[in-house]
Amino acid sequence: MRLFFAIIIIYSLSAIHANAQQGINLDNVWSLERCVQYAINHNISIKQDSLTARLARYTLKQSEWSQLPVLSANGSYGSSLGRSINPTTNQFVDGDYNFLSASGNGNLLLFGWLTVRNTIAKNRYMLQASMADLDQVKDDVSLNVANDFLAALLAQEQINVSRNQVDVSKAQLDQTRIFAEAGRLPELNVAQLESQLATDSANLINAIANYTSALLDLKSLLNLDFNEPFSIKVPDVEVGEQLMVSSMQPEDIYQKARLHFGSIKGSELRVSAAEKNVNAAKGNLYPQLSLAYQVGTNFASNYQQVSGYSDTMSGLTPYYSLNNNVRSYNIYETGALPVLTTTPFGSQLSNNFRQSVFLSLNIPILNGWMSQYSVRQAKINLAQQQLSEYNAELTLKQNVFKAHNNALNSIQKYNAAKRAADAAQRALDFAKKRYDLGLTSTVDLLVTQNTAFAASSNLVGAKYDLIFKLKVIDYYLGKELKL
């Protein structure tokens, strides 16, 4: 009874999986090309590197705009209480008044030993390096998508192989029961086939679980909702058409990869950026010539001017005359009192308007050796980038040679697995015929059947392993990853 319920569960899971595959809308069937394109548009790592490239672009724009004059404006308004200096007359006054001042400054670097231009060139190289890094991340994600896609395909093929094995074992069990009831075979054969069916059923459950896990890994890489209906499109792949790699030399693959690989381009561009950074740092050791312009004005509420004279006499006013160049104060005259009014706001701003233009020469003499150490740090950074470039080229070459060797080994493994699967299938066909005639035991049949099942599974694994190894070669050759 337990075996009966186990078989029902296995077939239920298998049926659910088959119905799910058949019931999925065509819009939810994903090919490798669609998966790669979706990952490029939605993968988190690619989005992060896209933001890094945007920051590099803004840095370049800021350095380009730094060539324009620096302009600033300042203004202040307030009240003064008690005795203070009038900002308009520069005299001490008693009392409260309001004041306003406004000024503007402009500065243009005329010559700075190409510091700004080298900084712009450095930032331009850094932007190009960021774009190369982004291309590299896209290629890496595409390869990872191809790996997970092929892993899902392998898991799906294993489901088919396991389901076929379950069907064969079920048919053999039914036939053996008939033979046992007729007395042609002992009940031991039935028990042995029941055990085999249970084992095959467990293998099918494990294959379905592996397929589900592979789909989750692929969805995670695509940044796709786990609840989204998803099914992979099984391509018609002929391995024999892709074995041209066996005639290629790894050095040729490396030279082609070096021309388009983002990591190589990025390392080369960072070396160029580091060289420009050294030149920019050296420019800070020399004088800088600038053109400056300043403008300003002010207003005070207690600033007054004479607008006329009153008719009221002020009394005797000391008046002096010159006699033989000697001042005499014995002469007096009477005068009218002046009438004072606050100078209008616009008049004050106009009267107090001032501006100046001048050249400024900044000569670095001693600044704590900051400029000198900036040059030394820039040179060390250049040496580091040169080592990074060499390491990137060395790593790429190692990976290419390893990928080429892995592809050749996979070809040999696939050919061996294919021969083994063909031989195991022929042996199984003969064993079935002998079993039907009663010329072989159930144990011998099961051993031959398990051998054929293992050979078939190994062939499927070797096939998709070879396809992935060949896709890795396409990845280094810069080809589009598709099936």
Side-chain angles (χ1 to χ4, degrees):
M1 290 296 293
R2 285 182 297 180
L3 179 61
F4 175 74
F5 285 115
I7 294 174
I8 292 178
I9 294 174
I10 292 301
Y11 272 92
S12 298
L13 289 175
S14 180
I16 292 174
H17 175 264
N19 293 333
Q21 294 297 315
Q22 295 175 359
I24 292 180
N25 191 288
L26 291 178
D27 294 337
N28 299 321
V29 178
W30 292 67
S31 63
L32 175 59
E33 294 83 350
R34 183 182 177 186
C35 290
V36 169
Q37 188 58 48
Y38 189 90
I40 290 176
N41 295 333
H42 298 86
N43 184 264
I44 296 178
S45 298
I46 294 178
K47 288 184 176 181
Q48 290 175 334
D49 275 56
S50 297
L51 294 176
T52 302
R54 288 178 61 186
L55 290 176
R57 182 175 287 106
Y58 291 149
T59 301
L60 173 61
K61 287 295 183 182
Q62 188 276 328
S63 60
E64 291 176 342
W65 283 104
S66 67
Q67 299 177 96
L68 297 178
V70 178
L71 302 176
S72 62
N74 301 286
S76 61
Y77 179 82
S79 298
S80 178
L81 308 177
R83 183 176 175 83
S84 62
I85 297 179
N86 188 298
T88 303
T89 63
N90 289 324
Q91 296 178 350
F92 282 99
V93 294
D94 292 323
D96 304 340
Y97 66 92
N98 298 329
F99 62 88
L100 179 146
S101 63
S103 62
N105 298 277
N107 188 282
L108 174 64
L109 180 64
L110 298 180
F111 186 71
W113 295 94
L114 302 179
T115 300
V116 175
R117 302 308 298 270
N118 283 314
T119 300
I120 294 174
K122 180 200 74 172
N123 292 333
R124 183 175 292 111
Y125 283 127
M126 291 302 295
L127 172 59
Q128 295 173 359
S130 297
M131 297 303 297
D133 291 342
L134 178 59
D135 292 338
Q136 184 64 57
V137 172
K138 291 180 179 179
D139 291 340
D140 292 343
V141 169
S142 299
L143 184 63
N144 292 334
V145 168
N147 182 34
D148 287 358
F149 188 88
L150 291 172
L153 279 179
L154 173 59
Q156 185 167 322
E157 289 288 341
Q158 293 289 4
I159 290 177
N160 296 331
V161 173
S162 298
R163 184 184 295 115
N164 292 334
Q165 183 66 16
V166 169
D167 293 338
V168 170
S169 297
K170 179 65 170 56
Q172 290 176 348
L173 176 60
D174 294 339
Q175 183 181 13
T176 302
R177 279 176 176 164
I178 295 174
F179 289 164
E181 292 173 358
R184 291 182 55 185
L185 293 175
E187 288 295 330
L188 176 61
N189 291 10
V190 176
Q192 291 172 336
L193 283 172
E194 287 178 348
S195 175
Q196 180 64 38
L197 179 58
T199 301
D200 295 339
S201 299
N203 291 334
L204 177 58
I205 293 177
N206 186 53
I208 294 175
N210 290 338
Y211 177 73
T212 303
S213 178
L215 289 186
L216 292 177
D217 291 339
L218 184 56
K219 283 185 176 181
S220 177
L221 187 59
L222 297 179
N223 195 22
L224 188 67
D225 186 2
F226 290 151
N227 295 320
E228 185 77 15
F230 188 89
S231 177
I232 58 176
K233 180 180 179 181
V234 179
D236 186 14
V237 181
E238 293 295 336
V239 177
E241 299 176 357
Q242 305 181 34
L243 300 182
M244 295 179 59
V245 66
S246 59
S247 62
M248 300 182 65
Q249 296 299 321
E251 182 64 29
D252 297 334
I253 300 175
Y254 165 71
Q255 292 300 332
K256 291 182 179 180
R258 193 179 182 280
L259 295 177
H260 72 86
F261 229 60
S263 60
I264 301 300
K265 288 183 178 179
S267 60
E268 292 175 347
L269 290 168
R270 285 186 174 85
V271 170
S272 300
E275 292 173 348
K276 293 298 181 180
N277 189 45
V278 171
N279 295 334
K282 289 180 178 179
N284 293 325
L285 298 175
Y286 302 98
Q288 295 185 347
L289 180 63
S290 303
L291 176 65
Y293 173 76
Q294 294 180 348
V295 62
T297 186
N298 51 31
F299 163 83
S301 62
N302 62 350
Y303 181 59
Q304 298 178 330
Q305 63 181 3
V306 178
S307 60
Y309 296 89
S310 65
D311 296 335
T312 304
M313 304 303 257
S314 63
L316 296 178
T317 300
Y319 181 79
Y320 65 90
S321 62
L322 295 176
N323 294 320
N324 297 325
N325 295 327
V326 177
R327 293 180 178 181
S328 175
Y329 293 91
N330 54 0
I331 300 177
Y332 298 87
E333 66 176 11
T334 61
L337 291 176
V339 177
L340 300 178
T341 59
T342 301
T343 304
F345 179 79
S347 298
Q348 286 198 42
L349 294 183
S350 177
N351 295 337
N352 296 328
F353 182 77
R354 59 192 181 277
Q355 57 183 334
S356 58
V357 180
F358 55 92
L359 293 174
S360 175
L361 182 64
N362 181 18
I363 303 175
I365 298 177
L366 184 63
N367 60 352
W369 293 92
M370 291 180 58
S371 298
Q372 289 83 352
Y373 279 103
S374 295
V375 174
R376 296 178 184 180
Q377 291 173 352
K379 290 181 178 180
I380 293 176
N381 181 61
L382 173 59
Q384 290 177 334
Q385 295 301 329
Q386 290 172 340
L387 289 175
S388 297
E389 179 187 11
Y390 174 76
N391 184 64
E393 293 178 350
L394 182 60
T395 300
L396 176 61
K397 194 167 188 176
Q398 291 174 341
N399 292 338
V400 167
F401 275 71
K402 185 182 296 184
H404 183 267
N405 183 67
N406 291 339
L408 295 181
N409 291 336
S410 294
I411 292 174
Q412 299 299 326
K413 291 179 181 178
Y414 171 76
N415 292 332
K418 192 173 185 304
R419 291 192 297 269
D422 293 340
Q425 186 61 44
R426 290 195 303 270
L428 179 59
D429 293 338
F430 288 129
K432 286 181 179 178
K433 293 177 181 179
R434 291 175 59 84
Y435 182 77
D436 294 340
L437 296 175
L439 300 177
T440 186
S441 66
T442 303
V443 174
D444 292 337
L445 175 63
L446 293 179
V447 170
T448 306
Q449 183 175 302
N450 289 334
T451 302
F453 173 72
S456 179
S457 298
N458 291 337
L459 177 60
V460 172
K463 173 184 175 182
Y464 285 102
D465 179 70
L466 174 57
I467 292 175
F468 176 70
K469 295 301 191 323
L470 296 177
K471 291 296 125 182
V472 173
I473 299 298
D474 290 343
Y475 160 75
Y476 286 117
L477 292 176
K479 295 181 179 180
E480 182 182 2
L481 297 182
K482 61 181 181 180
L483 294 175

